[in-house]
Amino acid sequence: MGLWESFKIALISIWNHKIRSLLTMLGIIIGVGAVIIIVAIGEGAKEKIKDELFSTDKNAIELYSEPIPPEDGEEEMDSYWEEPIITDQMLEELKSVQGVKSVVGTNQGWGTMMYGEKEGEMEITGVDDNYFSALHIQIVEGRAFSKRDSDTNRIAMIDTVARETFFKESEKAIGEIVDINGSPYKIVGVYESPIPEQYRWAENGEMLMPRTLVSLMFGSPEVANVSILAEDADTISETGMMAADKLTELVGSEDVMYTASSMAEFEEELDTYYGTMTLFIGGIAAISLLVGGIGVMNIMLVSVTERTSEIGLRKAIGASRGRILLQFLIEAVTLTSLGGLLGLGFAATVSFIISQATEFHAVISIPVVIIGIAFSAFIGIVFGIIPANKASKLNPIEALRYE
């Protein structure tokens, strides 16, 4: 009797005891389904957070200054150091670094914005005209800044949150005059902020101004923060280090050096965190697979007892011990594999419902599906070997006389 015949006999046996087989597979179904669902939820939540935090700045690298450590290692580094002055010419030279796609220089401040009877604190970011194309800022109304805008033009742009906060009852915000720290400014554009609302500091929204204007308003450097965008995410670390070394060389400071920090580092940390949590919770869920395996072994022992006469007859007409062993192993593997497939269907259904009912999409991992079904088949082998071995060792004469 070949493998196909053994498989058909296994299916017939399972079908003839449908309720018993289903109850036996229940542990496998729940175990495989739970593992796939937990991993799918973890992957979906991780992808959602990554999209919210890193979608715009995935290839962005921030260059920040820190004191140069002493060579002898004995002197303590100063907790305060004077920030080097960064010029537009330095930003232009940074673009020549291999792998650098764009360079963005910004500065910041906070101000109180008033319009009519409404008032609120605003985070103000100073930018140049390159900022919008580099970070793919979407202009909703009006226009972005241009090279023609100078520090004498008191202009500003607000994000969609500020538009809703201050101009909800107005048909338009473009051209309106607002008061910021006691001075009038004209709104020239409304933009879609790249930062998700739940991760912003200013609840009233954000504002952009030409960085020369922000420098005059707050007495801050015209370029306080430098970020570069890498051409290739795969070489983002190397590009960041080369850009940091280049900026250190350009500022020529004896006390300060620049280093790079990219979103890729945070993304890796997030992957590690979610991977550990998913593995831990999935491991707990996988315990039900072991429970299901014990149930399979129990029901296969019962099956051997019920089919003792059949085993004796097959051995009497020439079936070898290996054939009997293989038959019951195939039946156990078929039982657990069917449980794994039903668990996959259960997981797919639950994942679909979760995706429809929540804000994130549960992502079913193909490798996890393959591992889950393969593991369920492996459980069939492990827990089926004892019943199969028992069946193969039956004495044909005693088995035929068994009632």
Side-chain angles (χ1 to χ4, degrees):
M1 183 172 59
L3 290 176
W4 175 243
E5 289 297 324
S6 298
F7 178 67
K8 287 198 297 184
I9 291 174
L11 289 178
I12 292 171
S13 177
I14 293 171
W15 181 255
N16 288 337
H17 303 89
K18 294 183 285 294
I19 302 299
R20 187 175 74 181
S21 298
L22 182 61
L23 292 175
T24 304
M25 290 187 288
L26 196 57
I28 305 295
I29 294 170
I30 294 174
V32 172
V35 170
I36 295 174
I37 290 168
I38 288 170
V39 174
I41 292 175
E43 286 293 317
K46 182 180 71 176
E47 291 301 320
K48 179 176 175 57
I49 292 176
K50 285 168 66 174
D51 287 342
E52 289 181 345
L53 290 178
F54 312 131
S55 57
T56 302
D57 299 326
K58 189 176 290 289
N59 289 12
I61 309 165
E62 181 182 354
L63 305 182
Y64 60 93
S65 60
E66 60 182 19
I68 297 176
E71 294 182 1
D72 53 18
E74 296 180 359
E75 299 181 11
E76 293 185 1
M77 293 186 293
D78 294 333
S79 58
Y80 172 80
W81 64 92
E82 185 176 351
E83 289 285 351
I85 296 175
I86 300 175
T87 64
D88 285 336
Q89 180 62 32
M90 294 178 183
L91 298 183
E92 284 297 321
E93 292 193 41
L94 275 179
K95 294 179 181 178
S96 64
V97 175
Q98 182 179 359
V100 173
K101 181 180 180 181
S102 301
V103 180
V104 177
T106 62
N107 53 10
Q108 263 133 359
W110 284 80
T112 302
M113 175 172 161
M114 297 180 62
Y115 179 75
E117 298 180 354
K118 297 179 180 178
E119 178 180 340
E121 291 294 314
M122 301 287 289
E123 183 177 3
I124 304 171
T125 301
V127 304
D128 60 10
D129 59 298
N130 179 58
Y131 177 84
F132 302 93
S133 59
L135 296 182
H136 306 290
I137 303 299
Q138 181 181 355
I139 307 301
V140 179
E141 298 177 41
R143 66 175 179 87
F145 303 139
S146 67
K147 292 185 181 295
R148 294 175 296 176
D149 294 318
S150 66
D151 54 9
T152 57
N153 296 333
R154 293 183 175 272
I155 58 174
M157 297 178 65
I158 58 174
D159 68 358
T160 50
V161 176
R163 169 72 166 88
E164 183 70 14
T165 302
F166 291 93
F167 300 96
K168 186 175 183 179
E169 299 174 358
S170 303
E171 293 184 3
K172 65 182 183 69
I174 306 304
E176 295 297 304
I177 305 298
V178 298
D179 183 287
I180 302 174
N181 291 350
S183 300
Y185 291 82
K186 182 179 179 180
I187 303 298
V188 299
V190 178
Y191 67 98
E192 190 74 46
S193 176
I195 304 174
E197 187 175 348
Q198 59 268 38
Y199 298 110
R200 300 178 191 175
W201 291 99
E203 62 179 14
N204 298 308
E206 299 171 348
M207 174 176 287
L208 299 179
M209 288 184 183
R211 67 177 186 222
T212 51
L213 184 58
V214 172
S215 178
L216 289 173
M217 286 177 64
F218 300 100
S220 60
E222 186 174 330
V223 180
N225 309 300
V226 178
S227 296
I228 66 172
L229 276 83
E231 293 179 345
D232 188 354
D234 294 333
T235 59
I236 190 169
S237 297
E238 294 82 354
T239 302
M241 288 189 291
M242 289 190 294
D245 292 341
K246 181 67 174 179
L247 187 56
T248 301
E249 176 189 335
L250 291 172
V251 299
S253 173
E254 297 180 354
D255 303 317
V256 176
M257 62 181 288
Y258 280 85
T259 186
S261 174
S262 71
M263 287 297 180
E265 297 173 0
F266 297 104
E267 196 169 355
E268 289 176 4
E269 291 179 5
L270 185 67
D271 286 339
T272 301
Y273 170 76
Y274 266 96
T276 302
M277 290 298 296
T278 301
L279 184 63
F280 176 72
I281 299 174
I284 295 175
I287 293 175
S288 61
L289 281 172
L290 297 178
V291 176
I294 296 172
V296 169
M297 182 170 62
N298 180 59
I299 206 65
M300 290 304 298
L301 286 171
V302 172
S303 181
V304 169
T305 302
E306 290 178 345
R307 296 160 64 184
T308 300
S309 298
E310 174 193 333
I311 296 169
L313 179 61
R314 290 183 58 192
K315 296 192 78 171
I317 61 176
S320 66
R321 178 184 172 187
R323 286 290 184 182
I324 300 296
L325 179 70
L326 182 62
Q327 170 62 46
F328 280 88
L329 269 181
I330 288 176
E331 187 169 329
V333 171
T334 302
L335 191 65
T336 54
S337 297
L338 285 175
L341 292 173
L342 290 174
L344 171 60
F346 168 68
T349 303
V350 173
S351 298
F352 175 77
I353 294 173
I354 291 174
S355 299
Q356 297 298 314
T358 60
E359 295 181 355
F360 67 89
H361 179 68
V363 181
I364 294 180
S365 172
I366 299 301
V368 172
V369 169
I370 295 173
I371 292 172
I373 295 176
F375 189 65
S376 64
F378 175 72
I379 283 180
I381 296 174
V382 171
F383 288 95
I385 193 71
I386 293 177
N389 188 54
K390 179 184 177 182
S392 67
K393 287 183 176 180
L394 287 176
N395 184 289
I397 298 176
E398 292 181 0
L400 286 170
R401 291 186 301 186
Y402 180 83
E403 294 182 2

